[in-house]
Amino acid sequence: MTTTQNDLAQAAPGPGPLPGPAAAPAAAAVRAHPVLRVPPAPPAVAAAHFAASLAFHTDVSDVAAALAAHREEGAELGFQLVDSRSTPSWDQAHVPGAVHLPTALVPERAGSLLDRNIPVVTYCWGPGCNGAARTALALAELGYQVKEMLGGIEYWIREGYEVETRQGRERRAGADPLTAPTGSNDCGC
């Protein structure tokens, strides 16, 4: 029994039939390769996916650049930054200029802390926490335009950006990801 291009295309999920006569050897390699076991999406589908992703996410370097331009050049910030972690986590370190709004308090406090006409960027601890996503969802359900800052305070600190603490402003070494308040196993998101 021989395997044809269309058999391979039907057996493996993907965007459609495999292209050209050289596809049979390439298709066999793709099926055996763990990265390409599922072929990449067609360019137009990938472009739509990544454009949508960027509508929902930003990263710490973009937020830091916007905050620096706002602070140093008087450029319009254009967004409100929300730290969704607990008060002990906030006191330990947060992004300067952020608004403290723990996830659980969004329904009762968002209206008094945030301008509904200005987009919101949320963050929490970092990639191992979904507090920023839950806060973004709660805010979106209340009618706010919202994005999530990927990496959270962990990557903010790893990149060497300044933080505020209860005591004031400081820079933290990249090795201190501030996973939770000292002596706690809960970031409060």
Side-chain angles (χ1 to χ4, degrees):
M1 178 176 191
T2 61
T3 303
T4 67
Q5 278 185 310
N6 287 334
D7 292 334
L8 289 172
Q10 290 173 359
L18 298 170
V30 166
R31 286 173 48 112
H33 191 293
V35 171
L36 301 175
R37 189 171 292 128
V38 175
V45 173
H49 168 80
F50 291 114
S53 178
L54 290 172
F56 298 108
H57 301 110
T58 189
D59 64 25
V60 297
S61 64
D62 290 341
V63 170
L67 290 171
H70 175 70
R71 185 175 57 249
E72 296 164 10
E73 303 162 16
E76 183 177 330
L77 186 56
F79 64 90
Q80 305 163 95
L81 186 60
V82 169
D83 185 317
S84 65
R85 298 171 305 137
S86 67
T87 298
S89 294
W90 165 267
D91 288 346
Q92 191 175 2
H94 58 271
V95 176
V99 173
H100 184 224
L101 181 57
T103 305
L105 301 178
V106 168
E108 67 187 69
R109 294 193 182 163
S112 64
L113 294 173
L114 302 172
D115 183 336
R116 203 175 293 274
N117 298 312
I118 300 174
V120 177
V121 174
T122 64
Y123 74 90
C124 60
W125 163 65
C129 178
N130 67 1
R134 288 185 288 127
T135 296
L137 172 61
L139 289 167
E141 289 173 339
L142 292 173
Y144 291 87
Q145 290 183 298
V146 65
K147 286 187 167 198
E148 177 184 7
M149 182 177 82
L150 297 176
I153 194 72
E154 176 184 3
Y155 277 70
W156 183 269
I157 291 168
R158 285 181 185 222
E159 294 293 324
Y161 298 123
E162 187 175 65
V163 296
E164 284 182 339
T165 67
R166 187 182 338 188
Q167 290 75 34
R169 288 190 180 209
E170 61 183 70
R171 290 205 182 265
R172 296 274 171 109
D176 181 9
L178 292 174
T179 57
T182 305
S184 172
N185 62 0
D186 178 18
C187 71
C189 297

